[in-house]
Amino acid sequence: MSRFAEVLERLVSTIESRRGGDRSTSYTAKLLTDPSLAAKKLGEEAVEAVIAATQGDKDALAAESADLIYHWLVVLAAAGVSLDEVAAKLAAREGTSGLAEKASRKP
């Protein structure tokens, strides 16, 4: 297992452990109970990652990517979407050109 996969697994576990926690002491618990706020934070982090990427700032891109992934995982957890469900969607697209896959989506 890659280091990324190991860290991701621990992070998913930590996020789940915060479910039902005290919103006043846990940022994750707060986000889990407010999916709209979690989604907004995900969007903010995505923009910050884009800015870091366009500026060619590798360290900032790594940091913003970590923030982005954390918020993405919280949004998934809040919505009840598992990583296995995401993996199934990715696996279904394997071997398909990105252009062909995009063209096959319904408008």
Side-chain angles (χ1 to χ4, degrees):
M1 182 181 294
S2 73
R3 181 171 182 216
F4 180 81
E6 291 171 359
V7 171
L8 194 65
E9 188 174 320
R10 288 194 306 270
L11 183 54
V12 168
S13 226
T14 299
I15 290 168
E16 278 306 315
S17 76
R18 300 300 193 269
R19 190 179 297 281
D22 184 350
R23 293 172 39 100
S24 68
T25 60
S26 171
Y27 179 63
T28 302
K30 180 178 179 175
L31 291 176
L32 287 169
T33 59
D34 189 346
S36 179
L37 175 61
K40 287 175 187 174
K41 290 303 297 178
L42 175 64
E44 289 173 20
E45 298 302 341
V47 169
E48 290 171 4
V50 167
I51 292 167
T54 59
Q55 292 175 342
D57 187 337
K58 288 176 64 173
D59 187 58
L61 179 56
E64 296 302 341
S65 294
D67 292 345
L68 177 63
I69 290 166
Y70 161 77
H71 286 90
W72 172 68
L73 291 172
V74 172
V75 167
L76 289 178
V81 176
S82 73
L83 287 179
D84 285 342
E85 290 172 281
V86 175
K89 296 293 185 183
L90 288 171
R93 296 175 184 177
E94 283 184 81
T96 303
S97 152
L99 294 174
E101 190 281 327
K102 190 167 185 165
S104 73
R105 295 182 196 172
K106 296 179 183 177

